[in-house]
Amino acid sequence: MRVTISTIQKMKARGQRIPALTAYDFLTARLVDAAGVPLVLVGDSLGMVFLGYETTIPVRLSDVLHHTKAVTRGCENALVIADMPFMTYHISEEQALENAALLIQEGGAHAVKLEGGRHMAPTVKRLVQCGIPVMGHIGLTPQSVHQLGGFKVQGKSVEQAQRLLDDAQALQDAGAFAIVLECVPAELSRIITARLQIPTIGIGAGPDCDGEIQVISDLLGLVTDFVPKHTKHYAQLADEIRSALDRYVADVAARAFPTEQQSFSIDPDVLARLVAEDVGPGEIR
Ligand code: KIV
């Protein structure tokens, strides 16, 4: 049965933890959905892990839309959230509404996510009033990486922590159904989580959020050149893939692949005619 925003909110009320993951393609989405993950995010992290950008800033709405279509085709049960990329919701509430509507209507997403606290609350309110569920995202907001001066933990001073508490409250008041807390000290996440009625979904935010989200390529060990402190490798897929590719290259070079097992054959009579009569390719029946 399809997970809805009320399923997610009931999970918080029951004290049931909420696992969430990113996915960017059909096959991965199908695996994540089959594993029973209730929240699947088509994150703009796709720019860094799938498209090779250094930040999420170059990601376009068309990129997220394209990947959202693939992910929604792969998810039978999960609630699919499409991330709104940099500058696709900042210019005006109307711009945000138009772009969010595209992700829902054409992409098939069930909700959108956008970064920012109090200053984004009116936009969140407008989208929610129009029937679009919104997930907030505060703390380290990667689209503001240049303003933040790098990918840094947020909320370490009293002023910053108070700002994050106010941001979380403003997003809840605006109607957000959940909030991502990214790279926030664990103690602060605990306080925010206790104060909110809506679920907090952490990444680098300690063990006391209502749920946890991870970037799937981090979790599966596909990215090995930089491993963020907040991630854990549940598989070593980069090593597996490297080893498989080495074996494939060696097998092809040594004529050990393909073998008869992977080949197709023609009827021996056809073959005999072909050899005996020197029949041209178009004449074989
Ligand atoms: O883009 C993304 O993957 C995200 C998660 C890290 C929350 O925003």
Side-chain angles (χ1 to χ4, degrees):
M1 212 163 61
R2 180 70 69 188
V3 173
T4 66
I5 61 168
S6 68
T7 322
I8 298 299
Q9 289 174 334
K10 277 185 201 144
M11 286 174 83
K12 172 166 181 144
R14 288 192 211 112
Q16 200 179 339
R17 297 265 292 159
I18 306 162
L21 277 172
T22 65
Y24 315 106
D25 65 282
F26 171 75
L27 286 180
T28 311
R30 208 165 53 167
L31 290 168
V32 171
D33 189 65
V37 173
L39 284 184
V40 174
L41 171 70
V42 187
D44 62 354
S45 51
L46 76 88
M48 295 172 78
V49 295
F50 256 62
L51 305 177
Y53 298 135
E54 275 183 19
T55 71
T56 57
I57 291 171
V59 175
R60 309 302 298 259
L61 191 74
S62 53
D63 295 324
V64 173
L65 181 61
H66 177 75
H67 287 268
T68 300
K69 288 180 186 174
V71 169
T72 53
R73 284 194 285 267
C75 287
E76 266 180 39
N77 299 310
L79 180 87
V80 178
I81 305 158
D83 222 354
M84 299 198 69
F86 181 65
M87 282 301 144
T88 64
Y89 54 98
H90 304 79
I91 295 167
S92 68
E93 287 174 28
E94 298 317 299
Q95 181 218 22
L97 189 53
E98 247 177 58
N99 289 334
L102 202 66
L103 294 172
I104 302 280
Q105 201 166 29
E106 219 176 282
H110 308 111
V112 297
K113 174 170 85 57
L114 51 81
E115 296 182 6
R118 277 157 302 168
H119 64 292
M120 291 314 304
T123 303
V124 172
K125 194 168 179 183
R126 178 98 166 97
L127 299 189
V128 171
Q129 275 169 347
C130 292
I132 299 176
V134 180
M135 174 181 251
H137 182 161
I138 57 173
L140 169 54
T141 45
Q143 291 170 13
S144 309
V145 61
H146 300 315
Q147 179 67 29
L148 298 174
F151 295 100
K152 294 177 180 163
V153 176
Q154 302 295 307
K156 289 173 103 173
S157 68
V158 177
E159 295 75 24
Q160 275 192 6
Q162 188 56 56
R163 260 203 303 273
L164 283 179
L165 277 161
D166 294 345
D167 284 340
Q169 187 63 50
L171 289 171
Q172 172 171 284
D173 294 345
F177 76 90
I179 301 179
V180 168
L181 301 180
E182 178 164 355
C183 292
V184 171
E187 301 82 351
L188 177 57
S189 304
R190 190 182 315 134
I191 297 171
I192 296 175
T193 301
R195 287 199 189 168
L196 293 184
Q197 262 105 54
I198 59 172
T200 57
I201 310 291
I203 173 164
D208 296 319
C209 291
D210 299 302
E212 174 72 11
I213 185 157
Q214 286 284 315
V215 170
I216 186 107
S217 16
D218 286 339
L219 195 85
L220 298 180
L222 267 172
V223 184
T224 50
D225 42 357
F226 173 68
V227 182
K229 178 175 161 60
H230 59 66
T231 203
K232 175 174 164 185
H233 285 177
Y234 281 81
Q236 311 293 338
L237 286 199
D239 293 345
E240 280 276 317
I241 291 172
R242 267 194 289 267
S243 146
L245 297 181
D246 286 350
R247 282 182 285 121
Y248 170 71
V249 169
D251 276 3
V252 171
R255 296 182 185 278
F257 179 85
T259 64
E260 211 174 301
Q261 207 187 338
Q262 292 91 22
S263 305
F264 307 96
S265 55
I266 58 171
D267 188 289
D269 292 344
V270 176
L271 181 60
R273 260 191 68 202
L274 179 69
V275 174
E277 298 171 19
D278 195 18
V279 177
E283 296 171 66
I284 299 175
R285 287 188 237 298

